Amino acid sequence: MSIRRALRVPVLLASFGLCGRAVADEPSSFALTTDTPAYCAQLVRQVADRHSQSLDVQRLLAEGREMCEDGQVRGGIRRLRRALVLLHHRAVRDEPPP
Amino acid sequence: MIRSASLRFATLFGLVFALSALALVAFLWFSTANLLDRQVEAAINADAQGLVERWSEGGVPALLLTIQERLGENVDDDAIYEVTDSLQRWVAGNLNQWPVKVETPGVFYELQVVRAGTRSLADVRRYDLPGGFHLLVGRDVRGRVELRRLLTNALFSSLLVIAALGAAGAFVIRNVFRRMVAEVSATAEAIAGGDLTPRVRRSGRGDEFDRMAESINTMLERIAKLMDGVRQVSNAIAHDLRTPITRARARLEDASLHARTEGELRAGVERAVSDLDNVTAVFHALMRIAEIEVGARRSAFAEIDLGPLLADLAELYSAVAEEHGGLSLRLEVPDTLAILGDRDLLQQAVANLLDNAIKFSPDRGHITLAAARVDRQVRLSVADQGAGIPEADRPRATERFFRGEAARSTPGSGLGLALVQAVALLHEGSLLLEDAHPGLRATLVIPAMSPVQQMNSDSSAPHPEDTATLPSDLRR
């Protein structure tokens, strides 16, 4: 562990003391928005809009959508992301050479 | 303070072992944790660099599109992005709000984030973009935290194993140490009890303990030999001095009982004094030998040229030899022959050898005093044509008070060759007694001076001490 990291806690504690008001409004943790059903729906749209003929992509899209609808949001998002990675690789591969 | 040396050694071993293991474990822990930190920081920097390039190529729309793509393809689900405008309003990203504490660009901050209801830690860094935009790039480090926890658990477990191994090692060392010390201790106790025969047993492995046992045994051999010597000398003193003292007593008694005139009384007392002088001379010779054997005179060593020294002695003794049955003394010595030694003692040793040669030579015999440098040694010999010393007696001829069969009829105390031997040993040399066919050749072998010693020596060094020699009738 670097010295900088080791010093981080006391430095932060000191900064809390110096800037108590600003930090008082700060939540102790921050929520991520990429694990929500809304984000899952957004990914479904992104994959579906590409109209890929790839069976793998279609399978991952179907599985992802179904899992998100069933409440298994993280699993669904992971599949949809894999579909997007596949699409990205195919797009790079099919790109004409410069 | 622990009063057991074996326990102290074992404790010391355990401590050193534990400290070494702790240092190793701490090094492993910190280096692994550091590596993980650096990997995360490198990933964040690389990610941010790519985003800044996209910003410079296509402005805000390109940046937002890239963030969207990267979040979409983030299969590991660990990326964190946030973009705000100059008024700190959300523009893009997957963080619900900009962390106020992330206010300095270029500094890594640790944040607590909630992902799908689960709390974890994230490392984030802020980058300020032109136009008042702020970019936050981070990575979820829950994997790192988990790995660090597993590593910590593993290291603590290994510490337990290390502690057990250290304790076992300390126990073994303690037992080995105690066994070795017990062996030496038992031998020492037996010797302290008066029995000089026990020796420390060797394991045969040739290790340090074996070498120590060997040293102790050599020391004990030497002590036993010295004790034997002391015993022999005590017996010899008691035996050899009884005769002259008894004779002196008898002379005094005879003079006191039967002297008719003052002249007869005085003559008797003088004879007794002469006998007692011989006793004193024996004691003087014994003390001289002891002094030489102690080696104190080695500090008086200086460069000596044996050539002139032996020539002087030959000149002195040739007259004595001539008077003693018409003996002739031949000198075979080079002009110069340098050695490092004590002039007086060497002179005394050669005088003793010449005295013996004169004493035991037949009338009209020849005596040869020779010296020569052979390799790195100087060989100084005195040869006569007398009866010599039988081969069986030669090993004992240099012992104090030893007198062979042939020598019993001649006056002497048996200390002359003992003194020559002591002088030879003091000079790190030896005394050889050989058959001269006929007669005896006594050879003093002394290390010659090396060229370097010759250059460094100070030939003007003083030669202290007296130059007294043994009376001629005390030799061989």
Side-chain angles (χ1 to χ4, degrees):
Chain A
M1 187 186 285
S2 65
I3 294 173
R4 181 167 50 76
R5 278 183 179 274
L7 289 174
R8 186 177 295 166
V9 173
V11 167
L12 286 178
L13 286 173
S15 68
F16 286 164
L18 291 172
C19 316
R21 192 176 177 76
V23 177
D25 298 334
E26 179 97 336
S28 62
S29 57
F30 298 86
L32 293 170
T33 55
T34 42
D35 54 6
T36 57
Y39 184 68
C40 190
Q42 184 189 329
L43 288 182
V44 168
R45 279 196 302 279
Q46 275 185 40
V47 177
D49 287 352
R50 305 283 278 272
H51 302 294
S52 173
Q53 300 301 310
S54 164
L55 291 177
D56 286 337
V57 172
Q58 286 179 9
R59 180 178 53 80
L60 288 167
L61 172 60
E63 283 178 9
R65 178 188 285 140
E66 193 178 330
M67 288 178 82
C68 284
E69 285 170 359
D70 285 350
Q72 301 172 24
V73 178
R74 294 191 75 181
I77 288 174
R78 191 176 298 120
R79 278 163 180 72
L80 292 167
R81 278 174 164 159
R82 279 191 196 147
L84 283 170
V85 170
L86 275 178
L87 286 168
H88 179 79
H89 285 169
R90 284 171 201 275
V92 170
R93 192 185 60 195
D94 297 341
E95 225 173 58
Chain B
M1 189 68 184
I2 305 170
R3 292 181 65 85
S4 162
S6 60
L7 199 57
R8 271 205 307 278
F9 270 94
T11 308
L12 191 65
F13 169 82
L15 274 176
V16 170
F17 188 83
L19 285 175
S20 308
L22 266 177
L24 179 68
V25 165
F27 173 76
L28 281 176
W29 196 92
F30 278 106
S31 57
T32 310
N34 225 357
L35 178 71
L36 295 171
D37 284 346
R38 280 201 307 274
Q39 280 179 342
V40 170
E41 289 171 10
I44 290 172
N45 284 335
D47 203 356
Q49 196 178 349
L51 290 174
V52 171
E53 281 172 10
R54 295 301 302 271
W55 164 275
S56 56
E57 287 166 9
V60 176
L63 177 66
L64 298 187
L65 186 61
T66 307
I67 288 175
Q68 190 185 359
E69 280 175 4
R70 290 189 178 182
L71 282 174
E73 294 171 12
N74 182 215
V75 178
D76 291 338
D77 198 23
D78 61 351
I80 296 170
Y81 300 101
E82 184 81 349
V83 178
T84 58
D85 61 13
S86 58
L87 299 173
Q88 289 288 333
R89 287 176 304 201
W90 182 89
V91 176
N94 61 340
L95 209 56
N96 66 339
Q97 70 176 95
W98 183 276
V100 175
K101 69 177 183 182
V102 183
E103 54 185 5
T104 310
V107 175
F108 281 94
Y109 292 89
E110 207 162 66
L111 283 186
Q112 271 211 340
V113 293
V114 178
R115 190 186 289 275
T118 309
R119 277 177 187 271
S120 68
L121 281 176
D123 279 355
V124 299
R125 190 176 181 183
R126 170 181 172 154
Y127 300 86
D128 286 347
L129 303 173
F133 286 92
H134 309 292
L135 168 65
L136 182 146
V137 181
R139 282 287 181 278
D140 197 323
V141 292
R142 63 181 182 278
R144 187 189 72 186
V145 171
E146 182 63 18
L147 189 62
R148 193 177 285 177
R149 191 181 62 77
L150 286 173
L151 189 64
T152 307
N153 287 345
L155 291 180
F156 269 110
S157 307
S158 64
L159 274 181
L160 289 177
V161 175
I162 286 166
L165 284 175
F171 182 73
V172 169
I173 281 192
R174 173 175 167 267
N175 282 352
V176 168
F177 185 83
R178 286 180 77 169
R179 203 164 54 239
M180 184 59 213
V181 171
E183 180 72 29
V184 176
S185 178
T187 306
E189 277 174 20
I191 286 165
D195 181 7
L196 285 176
T197 52
R199 295 291 178 266
V200 181
R201 202 168 52 235
R202 295 180 53 191
S203 68
R205 287 190 290 269
D207 54 11
E208 291 85 347
F209 286 136
D210 265 10
R211 284 198 289 279
M212 185 180 77
E214 204 170 313
S215 299
I216 292 172
N217 289 343
T218 307
M219 181 185 74
L220 293 175
E221 295 288 349
R222 176 83 176 136
I223 290 171
K225 203 172 170 184
L226 286 173
M227 292 294 288
D228 279 348
V230 168
R231 203 174 296 120
Q232 272 180 11
V233 169
S234 306
N235 292 341
I237 289 172
H239 181 264
D240 283 45
L241 297 189
R242 191 178 58 188
T243 308
I245 291 172
T246 308
R247 199 186 302 139
R249 183 192 176 283
R251 289 190 201 285
L252 290 172
E253 189 179 47
D254 182 55
S256 67
L257 292 176
H258 302 109
R260 284 167 296 195
T261 63
E262 187 184 335
E264 282 180 5
L265 183 65
R266 191 179 296 277
V269 170
E270 279 173 4
R271 281 198 295 274
V273 167
S274 171
D275 286 335
L276 291 174
D277 277 349
N278 277 344
V279 174
T280 310
V282 167
F283 277 115
H284 182 256
L286 280 171
M287 287 172 70
R288 185 92 163 137
I289 293 170
E291 180 200 22
I292 294 167
E293 284 181 342
V294 165
R297 292 186 63 117
R298 201 169 279 136
S299 59
F301 274 21
E303 185 188 345
I304 304 165
D305 189 350
L306 281 179
L309 186 143
L310 294 179
D312 287 349
L313 277 170
E315 191 181 341
L316 180 69
Y317 275 86
S318 57
V320 180
E322 177 62 32
E323 283 174 16
H324 197 283
L327 300 174
S328 66
L329 177 59
R330 192 164 58 235
L331 181 68
E332 295 174 3
V333 176
D335 289 340
T336 58
L337 195 55
I339 63 157
L340 194 66
D342 187 308
R343 171 183 289 272
D344 298 334
L345 290 180
L346 284 167
Q347 205 167 7
Q348 187 173 337
V350 176
N352 280 12
L353 294 178
L354 285 171
D355 260 331
N356 281 342
I358 290 169
K359 199 159 58 180
F360 294 101
S361 283
D363 289 350
R364 309 274 169 212
H366 300 290
I367 296 169
T368 307
L369 172 60
R373 181 177 174 136
V374 181
D375 297 329
R376 295 178 179 178
Q377 295 174 328
V378 168
R379 297 175 75 90
L380 192 164
S381 66
V382 174
D384 61 46
Q385 294 177 319
I389 300 176
E391 196 169 347
D393 286 348
R394 277 180 216 154
R396 297 189 57 211
T398 54
E399 288 178 7
R400 291 173 181 83
F401 297 109
F402 177 80
R403 308 202 72 211
E405 283 300 322
R408 290 198 190 279
S409 56
T410 55
S413 68
L415 291 173
L417 286 180
L419 187 138
V420 178
Q421 164 97 331
V423 171
L425 292 177
L426 179 75
H427 287 79
E428 294 175 356
S430 57
L431 172 65
L432 305 176
L433 300 175
E434 302 159 308
D435 200 336
H437 304 291
L440 176 77
R441 181 185 296 109
T443 307
L444 257 175
V445 182
I446 300 170
M449 274 186 87
S450 66
V452 177
Q453 280 177 318
Q454 258 174 311
M455 276 167 51
N456 294 339
S457 73
D458 178 11
S459 59
S460 63
H463 305 291
E465 294 286 351
D466 60 291
T467 56
T469 58
L470 279 171
S472 62
D473 61 345
L474 288 180
R475 294 175 189 142
R476 200 188 279 181

